[in-house]
């Protein structure tokens, strides 16, 4: 085996250390939180059947955060012994005395902490031998290179495995633990034809190794996507319907996540500032957050402050229902934390339409327009909602792909783009914390030549 691990032994040792350092924290008469984390990682990459990189790591660290009379300070270290964590507590207490008072800085509400009353299945450990992983990435590479003669090279196939143990404690005598696994397999192909070259990649991720796509599929997919981009053209500037492919449609909702983050709200730096309980999407679109989804890539029982996560409606029939708040941003807004210190938890984008269309059906519905398969750059202004990003994809005519397209910009305002969503297909992509299908949007500005 490449390496062995005993998380139960780690958990027992870390819990003992946590109990001791929390006792020390209380003796110093300050409030605080301590996180201990250990991550095991295997990574291997292959190119032309030759293993060019293997990485094995076992990374452990702790973070101490002290709240001392409305002052907050943190100390990080990769030593998790009791004595070292206690030293970090001492350092953080000293540091806090030099920080300006902020009346909104406080420890999370004890009543909101996770109460050990739920479980989720996100831990699926598996042992690997070097031979097994080598065979896996070589299969991916083989099917990438042998898919078609137009595939002239590969940038490699990569496999990664993460085993993660996190234990969080606070001076309220609260301790929470979570163990998880994460697997990743990818391929990147380079295709050439008539002097043109393109590259594209395909990947699969899962909590359970058994849920990864077959290596043959991953290799063929990257090759197929690279070949499809060859001999691309530019298109004229126009206003046109657009389909954002399910591979990248989640990016349209990352902008929503940024715009309803509590820090953007209390700083009044979001275009959605006055949009709570107002319709910002079509009345048939819903976004449900499920932190307890089995095997979910963003499933969590508690956030980075120990606050229990909750299932909630983010968008209900097109209406914005909540901000995303940690303790500090919630305090600034004089409301309760939503348990979003550290991110979101499995957003499920859905429609309440009775008939859900296939991808081919929304191509037919669009009839003529631009299918976006890649977006580039960060041209999104969360203060105004203005949107401008580079894109490539395919031109659609009579519901069929006609030719690949490059060198265009998709632009508009997010509120207009969201409200102009006509339909979702049924090709939901689960390889992300935001699970979404392909999206058809009407009347989008496309800048070409």
């Amino acid at each position: 085996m490449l390496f062995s691990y005993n998380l139960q032994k780690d958990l027992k040792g870390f819990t003992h250390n946590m109990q001791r350092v929390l006792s020390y924290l209380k003796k110093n008469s300050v409030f605080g939180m301590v996180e201990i984390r250990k991550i095991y990682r295997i990574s291997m990459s292959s190119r032309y059947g030759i293993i060019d990189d293997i990485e094995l790591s076992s990374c452990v660290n702790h973070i101490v955060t002290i709240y001392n009379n409305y002052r907050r300070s943190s100390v990080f270290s990769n030593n998790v012994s009791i004595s070292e964590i206690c030293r970090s507590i001492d350092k953080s207490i000293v540091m806090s005395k030099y920080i300006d008072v902020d009346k909104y800085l406080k420890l999370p509400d004890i009543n909101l902490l996770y109460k050990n009353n739920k479980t989720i299945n996100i831990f699926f450990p598996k042992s690997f031998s070097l031979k097994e992983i080598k065979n896996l990435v070589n299969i991916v590479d083989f099917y990438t290179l042998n898919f078609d003669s137009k595939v002239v090279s590969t940038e490699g196939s990569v496999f990664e495995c993460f085993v993660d143990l996190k234990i969080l404690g606070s001076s309220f005598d609260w301790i929470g633990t979570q163990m998880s696994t994460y697997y990743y397999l990818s391929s990147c192909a380079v295709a050439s034809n008539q002097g043109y070259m393109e590259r594209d990649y395909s990947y699969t991720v899962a909590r359970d190794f058994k849920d990864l796509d077959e290596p043959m599929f991953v290799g063929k997919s990257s090759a197929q996507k690279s070949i499809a981009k060859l001999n691309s053209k530019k298109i004229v500037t126009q206003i046109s319907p657009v389909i954002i492919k399910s591979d990248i449609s989640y990016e349209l909702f990352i902008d929503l996540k940024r715009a309803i983050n509590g820090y953007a709200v209390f700083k009044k730096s979001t275009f959605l500032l006055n949009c709570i309980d107002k319709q910002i999407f079509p009345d048939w679109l819903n976004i449900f957050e499920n932190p307890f989804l089995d095997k979910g890539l963003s499933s969590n029982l508690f956030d980075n402050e120990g606050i229990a996560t909750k299932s909630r409606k983010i968008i209900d029939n097109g209406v914005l229902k909540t901000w995303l708040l940690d303790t500090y941003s919630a305090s600034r807004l004089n409301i309760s934390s939503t348990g979003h210190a550290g991110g979101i938890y499995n957003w499920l984008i859905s429609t309440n339409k009775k008939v859900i269309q296939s991808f081919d059906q929304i191509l037919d519905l669009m009839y003529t327009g631009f299918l976006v398969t890649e977006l580039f750059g960060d041209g999104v202004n969360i203060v105004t909602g203005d949107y401008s990003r580079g894109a490539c994809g395919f031109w659609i005519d009579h519901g069929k792909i006609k030719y690949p397209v490059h060198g265009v910009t998709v632009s508009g305002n997010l509120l207009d783009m969201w409200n102009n969503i006509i339909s979702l297909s049924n090709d939901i992509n689960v390889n992300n914390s935001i699970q979404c299908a392909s999206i058809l949007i009407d009347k989008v500005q496309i800048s070409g030549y």
Side-chain angles (χ1 to χ4, degrees):
M1 294 299 167
L2 292 178
F3 62 68
S4 60
Y5 49 83
N6 188 335
L7 288 191
Q8 292 301 327
K9 181 179 179 181
D10 289 337
L11 179 60
K12 182 178 180 181
F14 292 165
T15 302
H16 172 261
N17 289 6
M18 181 66 75
Q19 291 169 339
R20 294 284 299 275
V21 299
L22 291 182
S23 176
Y24 181 80
L25 185 64
K26 292 171 66 177
K27 287 180 181 179
N28 281 273
S29 300
V30 293
F31 295 107
M33 301 189 68
V34 178
E35 178 186 292
I36 301 174
R37 193 166 191 173
K38 188 169 189 177
I39 299 176
Y40 293 94
R41 175 177 175 262
I42 307 170
S43 175
M44 181 183 292
S45 62
S46 171
R47 190 165 182 258
Y48 296 111
I50 299 172
I51 303 302
D52 57 11
D53 186 63
I54 302 175
E55 294 183 19
L56 307 177
S57 64
S58 175
C59 178
V60 62
N61 60 66
H62 77 259
I63 302 174
V64 169
T65 302
I66 295 297
Y67 296 82
N68 187 5
N69 294 321
Y70 302 106
R71 298 177 174 93
R72 181 175 63 192
S73 63
S74 297
V75 173
F76 172 93
S77 172
N78 54 14
N79 184 329
V80 296
S81 66
I82 294 173
S83 59
E84 184 63 24
I85 299 175
C86 288
R87 275 193 289 270
S88 292
I89 292 173
D90 293 337
K91 292 176 184 178
S92 192
I93 292 173
V94 172
M95 289 166 54
S96 69
K97 296 175 182 179
Y98 294 89
I99 298 173
D100 289 338
V101 170
D102 184 339
K103 65 179 181 179
Y104 300 105
L105 285 171
K106 57 184 179 180
L107 207 61
D109 186 341
I110 189 173
N111 297 311
L112 297 178
L113 296 177
Y114 169 62
K115 297 178 174 58
N116 294 296
N117 55 351
K118 283 186 173 67
T119 59
I120 47 175
N121 294 321
I122 56 174
F123 183 56
F124 298 89
K126 176 180 172 58
S127 296
F128 295 95
S129 68
L130 181 62
K131 183 178 180 180
E132 287 173 319
I133 301 179
K134 180 180 179 181
N135 183 57
L136 184 67
V137 291
N138 282 345
I139 290 174
V140 175
D141 228 28
F142 175 83
Y143 281 100
T144 301
L145 290 166
N146 291 278
F147 178 78
D148 190 280
S149 60
K150 293 186 180 71
V151 177
V152 295
S153 181
T154 172
E155 293 194 0
S157 304
V158 177
F159 172 77
E160 289 185 303
C161 164
F162 296 87
V163 181
D164 189 356
L165 166 62
K166 180 172 75 172
I167 178 166
L168 188 65
S170 82
S171 48
F172 292 131
D173 287 328
W174 174 89
I175 295 177
T177 61
Q178 187 160 283
M179 295 188 292
S180 64
T181 50
Y182 180 93
Y183 301 93
Y184 169 90
L185 183 64
S186 72
S187 171
C188 183
V190 179
S192 177
N193 185 45
Q194 298 178 358
Y196 293 92
M197 296 188 73
E198 294 286 352
R199 70 171 185 172
D200 211 326
Y201 76 104
S202 182
Y203 72 97
T204 175
V205 296
R207 291 290 192 185
D208 188 346
F209 178 81
K210 296 176 182 178
D211 294 330
L212 290 176
D213 292 336
E214 290 294 326
M216 177 179 68
F217 173 82
V218 175
K220 287 184 174 182
S221 176
S222 66
Q224 187 175 36
K225 289 164 70 176
S226 299
I227 292 169
K229 292 167 65 176
L230 288 169
N231 307 106
S232 61
K233 305 176 182 179
K234 287 190 175 183
I235 54 177
V236 298
T237 296
Q238 59 190 288
I239 294 176
S240 166
V242 161
I243 292 176
I244 301 181
K245 194 75 168 66
S246 61
D247 295 354
I248 60 167
S249 58
Y250 70 91
E251 296 188 36
L252 200 60
F253 299 96
I254 287 179
D255 299 321
L256 172 64
K257 179 185 74 171
R258 293 171 58 201
I260 63 176
N261 179 275
Y263 286 79
V265 176
F266 81 73
K267 292 177 181 178
K268 299 183 179 180
S269 59
T270 170
F271 70 102
L272 297 181
L273 184 62
N274 299 310
C275 289
I276 281 288
D277 293 326
K278 293 184 179 179
Q279 186 171 331
I280 61 173
F281 284 93
D283 59 10
W284 48 262
L285 189 142
N286 300 290
I287 302 178
F288 183 71
E289 183 174 62
N290 183 4
F292 314 116
L293 185 67
D294 281 346
K295 299 185 178 182
L297 296 179
S298 296
S299 295
N300 271 289
L301 296 171
F302 51 87
D303 73 356
N304 289 350
E305 297 178 322
I307 291 178
T309 55
K310 293 182 179 180
S311 298
R312 68 180 72 238
K313 294 176 180 178
I314 306 298
I315 301 292
D316 184 25
N317 295 327
V319 176
L320 177 62
K321 303 304 294 183
T322 186
W323 304 127
L324 308 178
L325 309 173
D326 63 4
T327 297
Y328 182 76
S329 60
S331 181
R332 291 294 299 256
L333 296 169
N334 197 29
I335 51 181
S336 295
S337 170
T338 59
H340 284 95
I344 60 172
Y345 315 101
N346 304 316
W347 279 12
L348 311 178
I349 318 297
S350 65
T351 171
N352 55 21
K353 288 184 175 181
K354 292 182 179 179
V355 178
I356 301 176
Q357 302 183 84
S358 69
F359 178 69
D360 287 340
Q361 286 174 322
I362 68 167
L363 283 178
D364 287 335
L365 181 60
M366 181 170 71
Y367 196 69
T368 300
F370 183 33
L371 169 61
V372 181
T373 57
E374 290 183 72
L375 289 165
F376 312 105
D378 187 25
V380 183
N381 188 329
I382 295 302
V383 178
T384 63
D386 291 335
Y387 185 98
S388 179
R389 298 188 65 186
C392 68
F394 300 89
W395 187 251
I396 307 299
D397 188 25
H398 291 77
K400 304 295 182 182
I401 292 176
K402 287 300 178 183
Y403 52 82
V405 172
H406 77 279
V408 300
T409 300
V410 174
S411 60
N413 185 275
L414 279 169
L415 277 176
D416 293 334
M417 293 173 70
W418 290 340
N419 277 291
N420 285 337
I421 294 176
I422 297 174
S423 182
L424 302 177
S425 68
N426 60 2
D427 57 339
I428 297 173
N429 188 330
V430 299
N431 285 338
N432 199 275
S433 60
I434 300 175
Q435 298 186 13
C436 185
S438 297
I439 302 171
L440 171 57
I441 308 173
D442 193 20
K443 297 178 181 178
V444 178
Q445 177 66 53
I446 303 172
S447 300
Y449 67 86

